Structures are given as structure tokens and as C-alpha cells.
Amino acid sequence: MICLSLTAPTVAEAVEVAAANAELIGAVELRLDLLDGDLSAAVREFPRRCDRELSRRHGSALPRILTVRRATDGGEFSGSEAERLELLRTGIEAGYDYVDLEEDLHGSREGEALAKAAGATGTRVIRSYHDTEGVPAALPELVRRLSQREEEIPKLAVTPRGISDLRRLLSVAPKMRKSNGILVGMGTVGIPTRLLAPRIGSFLTFCSAGNKQAAPGHLDPETLVGLYRHDMLGATTRLFGVIGNPVMHSKSPHFHNRVFAERGLDALYVPFHVDDVDEFFKLAEELPIEGVSVTIPHKAAVISHLREVDESVTATGACNTVVRGAAGGWRGVNTDVSGFLTPLQAARSVKDAAVSVVGAGGAARAVVYALAGEAARICVLNRTAERARRLAEELSASHGFHNISSAALEPENEELLRRHSDIIVQTTSVGMAPHADEDPLHWYEFSGNELVYDIIYTPEITRLLARARKAGCKTVSGSEMFRGQADEQARLFCELVSSA
Ligand code: NAP
């Protein structure tokens, strides 16, 4: 179930946000600590007003949770503890369906009085523990404490700092599921816990709408339902994802979840912010995950975990796709190679073309390998000339290519570039958002006969591509390469889902 945490400053605005999202959610949480003004009046007013408005616009009301979060737990309540407890008591009397009471209130005189009042009015207690800094060491003991009372819903909301923290958090998911509890990993590393709530058995997942997030890592309801298909997830949903650092900017979840949805597959694709590749592979066994896209900076580090490697990985020393192989181990493929070639070959023939490859990083290696295999005549130009030389020499030595030369990327080499200008492939990160006004070839004037391919995909039309188009050149954008490599990944992922 999706619970929308209301972060608006007034009851009227909070009710409006609840009503606007009512079709997507299963419950609302009033975060009283985020409201302005008279909180005592607001806590009484909200249930009536929310029920009335939702019934009018949506046909029925939604369960309401009351939370008054302290600053130490990541909230913004600034009054005294006595005032906070009084507000919670008022809320219980006002008929909220659930009230969030922190774990440390358990056993205290005031806390017990609140729990008793909740029992009398039929308000269910969510017994919560928050850690905004990390994941406590004694997690199983904490879960045991939270789950002591059968009538209460335990809620664990902590902040994994890396994949090993995320693994520890997910290791208590079965216990939380047993007590119908709520498990939340806050922050970017914890986002999979929010997306996988129905899969790991968390009673609900929280989200926020609008500009203000009620907690770090909250997504909006539309993203949870539309992109991450919350409503169709279950215990048997097959898992895929993208690993990177950073990763939340990746377009891959949009691409792959759309493919899964269009094909009616019970599979989900999730972003994993990975600080440690070894730990990720342990997590992949535990969840389990069946395939991932790999992005910067892990394309080389994953290779030592693979049992089978495609020629595209050996040749480029980089792997952007990992899937479970036939024998159970991991298999690596570099779909950047075919993803790069497919749109280029649709635009013109590569055989015997004189090609400049600008840049000599990881992506350039896949590009040069792809072009050399198609018998193009290639010159690699890079800011660091030595890196271009190494790339050319290594690929020539390992594959017997005789068609790769190299040079420094500088205006003095304009003539050399012109001699290799049937196709110009731009593979550096220069011109990528947020530095979209940069152009790595600003000193080169296009004749209009070049085919210019910029593999950057944000923005779709880089300054370099815009200039080339203006000069009359044919162009290919990085989005086309992105689609090409993602299509191939989707084929591998869907094959796995359909085969079992
Ligand atoms: P990388 O391994 O870090 O290589 C970066 C390259 O950019 C190197 O050649 C580097 O030159 C050059 N560079 C960086 N700053 C420069 C500057 N100020 N002036 C001149 N050259 C500069 O990165 P990568 O993995 O190859 O990725 C490069 C780009 O390709 C990224 O924008 C990425 O998003 C894009 N990409 C797109 C796709 C797709 O599907 N469309 C796939 C993969 C990658 P030095 O060697 O001198 O440092």
C-alpha cells in the first residue's frame, strides 16, 4: 500500500494534495510537525475535512495516519515533548486510523497512556524507530523490541550508507513481514526498499507529492505507480536493475520498466546506488536479482564476478550488462558495442570509412572496437594523447587490427581530423549537461559532408550536433545509441523472465 505523507503547511493544502492523489494511494499520513499555525486545531480538523473532500471527489475516504515527528527522528516539531504528546492524544480522540508512536515511548507512563487511549478508540499504533544517520548494529534486537505487541505495527526507518547496510536492513525483512511491519531505508541507497515494499512484504511504503519530501528518498505517487508499477508487484516479481554511483539520474528504469509493462511481464527494474560492487553481488544473490545494467564507475569492477564473458567485454575491458547465465553464474555482455553500431549503420556504411573518434575513455573503447571490426580506418584523438595511443595499441595487439591510429585532441591536428572525417564520433563527456554549452571540437569547422555522432544523450542535441546540423551534416545522437544498447539489454532481461 502507498501512503502519501502530507508536507503542505496548512490543512486545506494538505487535503487538496491528498484528494489530487487519491486514485494512486491507499492511505495518507498527516505530518503535523510540518504544518504551520495552531496545531491543536489542525489535528482535530484534518480527519473530518479529509474524509469529506475525499468522499466528495474520490467516492470514499482513505485511512489516515497521525505523525508528529521530533527533530531527532528527522521531523520538524519544535515544541516541547509534553506538547507533542498532548497533540498525539488529541489526534487519537479525533479518530485517526493509525498513530505513530516512537519506540522509546514504549513503557513510559505517558507512552502507555497514549497506547491505551489508542486501544480504546480503535486507533492502531505504528511503533516506530528512526535513525537518520545510519543502520544500528543490533538490528534483530531492535526489530524484536518493535514487534513486542501483536496489535501494533512495527516500523523501522533507518539510513543505509552503503550496500552492506542495505543488505543488513533487508536481512530483517522476513521478520518484519511476519509482524506485518513497515521497513524503510531512507536516502538514495535505501530507495529499493521503497520500490520493493510489496515484494519484501512491507505493509506500506511512504511517498511525498510536491516540492517538499517528508523524508529523504521519498518518490512521488505517480512515479511509484506509473514508473515502478507498485500496484502489480508481489512476492514473485522478478528483479532487475541498474547499478552506478550516482545512479538516480539514469534513464534506464524508464526504458526497462516500460518494456516489462508493455510485454505484461511480472518484472521490475530498480536503481541501486552502489558503493561496493562485491557487496552488491551478495545482495543480488540474496534478493535475488537476475540482471543489471552497469554504469559509471562499475563497468570494469563487475568483470571479476562474471563466470561467462562475451567477446564484447573481453575486447573493451568493460561490461555494461550482467545477467544470470545458464549455469547459474553471472554472464557479462557489453551492449554498448552493438548499441553504438546499429544506428550508425542505419545512417551510412562504415566499411572503409575514415573515422575520427574523439575521446579515449571507456565508451571510446567500445566505439573503436565496434568500428575496427567493421573495417573502418580510425584515428583516436584525445586530450591525453598517451591514453589514445594506449587504446589504439591495445586493441590492435589483442585483435590484430591494423586500422587504428591516434593523436592529441588539439587545434593543430585539424588537418588530421579532416582526413578522418567521413564519420566523426564524439565520445568525451564534454558538452554533457549541466555543461551543455561546451563543444570539444569548437575549433573545427564542418564541411557539411561529415556524419557526426555524439554519444552524449543529455542533452539529446549537444552543441556539437547542433553546429554539425547547421553546416548540413548528417547526425546521430547519443539517445539512439542509448536505445540501441538498452534494446539489447531488454532482450536479454525479457528472455530470462520468459524462460522460467
Ligand atoms: P570516461 O571513461 O570517464 O572518459 C571520458 C573521456 O572524456 C576521456 O577521453 C577524457 O579525456 C575526455 N574528457 C573529459 N573531460 C574533458 C575535457 N574537459 N576536454 C577534453 N576531453 C575531456 O567516460 P565514458 O564512460 O567514456 O563516457 C563518456 C561519455 O559517453 C559520457 O558523457 C557518457 O554519458 C557517454 N556515454 C553514452 C552512452 C550512450 O548509450 N549514449 C554509453 C556510454 C557512455 P582524458 O583521457 O584526457 O581525461
Side-chain angles (χ1 to χ4, degrees):
M1 174 163 73
I2 295 178
C3 177
L4 178 61
S5 299
L6 300 168
T7 59
T10 66
V11 166
E13 287 168 89
V15 167
E16 178 53 37
V17 173
N21 289 282
E23 297 294 334
L24 300 170
I25 59 179
V28 289
E29 178 191 40
L30 180 68
R31 281 288 301 272
L32 199 65
D33 55 302
L34 303 181
L35 285 188
D36 294 337
D38 180 349
L39 298 187
S40 186
V43 77
R44 277 191 295 266
E45 183 190 354
F46 178 77
R48 258 184 290 122
R49 206 157 159 178
C50 189
D51 284 5
R52 200 176 55 224
E53 193 58 16
L54 261 61
S55 300
R56 190 176 72 76
R57 282 166 57 181
H58 173 59
S60 60
L62 287 172
R64 303 138 313 183
I65 300 174
L66 172 63
T67 299
V68 193
R69 188 75 68 227
R70 302 174 291 208
T72 46
D73 294 322
E76 295 184 16
F77 187 71
S78 57
S80 69
E81 183 62 357
E83 286 164 345
R84 195 176 77 93
L85 297 179
E86 181 55 24
L87 288 167
L88 287 166
R89 193 189 57 74
T90 309
I92 290 167
E93 284 168 5
Y96 284 77
D97 302 274
Y98 301 90
V99 63
D100 185 305
L101 299 182
E102 291 79 3
E103 193 267 338
D104 56 279
L105 292 177
H106 192 141
S108 74
R109 194 169 52 80
E110 299 86 345
E112 289 309 306
L114 284 175
K116 197 163 165 214
T121 58
T123 301
R124 235 177 134 190
V125 171
I126 296 177
R127 185 63 66 180
S128 70
Y129 178 90
H130 290 78
D131 186 335
T132 58
E133 301 288 323
V135 178
L139 216 46
E141 163 57 17
L142 182 54
V143 170
R144 197 192 56 72
R145 283 210 315 268
L146 288 171
S147 316
Q148 274 177 50
R149 292 184 179 157
E150 242 175 54
E151 69 278 16
E152 296 185 350
I153 297 171
K155 174 187 174 189
L156 181 64
V158 295
T159 310
R161 294 288 171 200
I163 293 294
S164 90
D165 279 351
L166 183 62
R167 285 183 59 219
R168 281 201 302 120
L169 179 56
L170 288 170
S171 73
V172 297
K175 183 82 184 68
M176 290 297 274
R177 178 174 34 216
K178 240 192 200 154
S179 29
N180 208 16
I182 302 166
L183 186 100
V184 177
M186 293 188 281
T188 310
V189 176
I191 278 178
T193 64
R194 299 190 184 280
L195 302 179
L196 298 176
R199 170 78 158 53
I200 60 178
S202 180
F203 171 56
L204 53 77
T205 188
F206 291 94
C207 64
S208 303
N211 293 333
K212 183 167 173 142
Q213 285 186 333
H218 270 199
L219 300 171
D220 60 83
E222 180 53 44
T223 301
L224 283 178
V225 176
L227 174 56
Y228 291 105
R229 297 152 74 219
H230 185 275
D231 294 348
M232 74 91 207
L233 293 190
T236 56
T237 300
R238 315 275 291 268
L239 282 190
F240 296 84
V242 51
I243 66 171
N245 185 356
V247 76
M248 290 312 292
H249 67 285
S250 171
K251 292 198 311 188
S252 297
H254 295 265
F255 185 93
H256 292 289
N257 283 319
R258 187 176 45 75
V259 171
F260 289 151
E262 280 171 3
R263 299 192 188 178
L265 297 175
D266 182 16
L268 185 73
Y269 185 97
V270 172
F272 291 93
H273 181 103
V274 170
D275 59 324
D276 181 329
V277 168
D278 295 352
E279 282 294 312
F280 175 76
F281 275 95
K282 291 179 193 159
L283 177 71
E285 296 298 342
E286 290 158 2
L287 264 175
I289 298 166
E290 298 184 51
V292 285
S293 312
V294 184
T295 186
I296 293 171
H298 300 315
K299 286 186 182 182
V302 296
I303 295 175
S304 61
H305 293 269
L306 306 175
R307 191 179 294 173
E308 299 166 56
V309 283
D310 200 76
E311 160 70 16
S312 56
V313 173
T314 323
T316 57
C319 171
N320 78 334
T321 313
V322 174
V323 287
R324 281 197 188 275
W330 296 104
R331 174 183 164 217
V333 180
N334 191 338
T335 67
D336 281 340
V337 175
S338 59
F340 164 75
L341 265 185
T342 306
L344 177 59
Q345 287 177 320
R348 67 154 285 167
S349 157
V350 177
K351 191 170 176 335
D352 296 329
V355 185
S356 284
V357 174
V358 178
R365 192 170 276 267
V367 164
V368 174
Y369 169 71
L371 288 165
E374 295 299 312
R377 193 157 47 80
I378 305 152
C379 182
V380 185
L381 297 116
N382 194 43
R383 174 178 64 178
T384 311
E386 169 57 18
R387 201 174 176 193
R389 189 184 61 76
R390 264 204 323 268
L391 193 162
E393 282 182 6
E394 282 168 15
L395 278 180
S396 302
S398 57
H399 286 77
F401 295 134
H402 300 291
N403 47 353
I404 315 172
S405 59
S406 70
L409 179 66
E410 56 192 22
E412 287 68 27
N413 280 330
E414 186 197 344
E415 198 35 50
L416 181 68
L417 177 56
R418 208 168 283 289
R419 275 188 272 125
H420 293 82
S421 64
D422 293 335
I423 301 170
I424 298 176
V425 187
Q426 195 306 109
T427 74
T428 76
S429 45
V430 182
M432 186 167 80
H435 304 292
D437 57 341
E438 294 177 1
D439 176 347
L441 290 182
H442 59 91
W443 41 266
Y444 180 84
E445 221 170 281
F446 294 106
S447 68
N449 296 322
E450 303 90 340
L451 182 146
V452 184
Y453 191 161
D454 194 335
I455 73 162
I456 288 175
Y457 57 80
T458 45
E460 178 152 3
I461 304 301
T462 57
R463 172 166 278 216
L464 175 83
L465 276 195
R467 201 160 60 79
R469 278 185 180 184
K470 205 165 166 203
C473 301
K474 259 192 179 175
T475 60
V476 181
S477 75
S479 297
E480 293 172 72
M481 171 169 171
F482 178 83
R483 264 196 304 281
Q485 61 81 28
D487 273 338
E488 179 59 11
Q489 289 184 335
R491 192 184 63 73
L492 294 165
F493 296 158
C494 292
E495 224 171 65
L496 277 173
V497 181
S498 310
S499 69

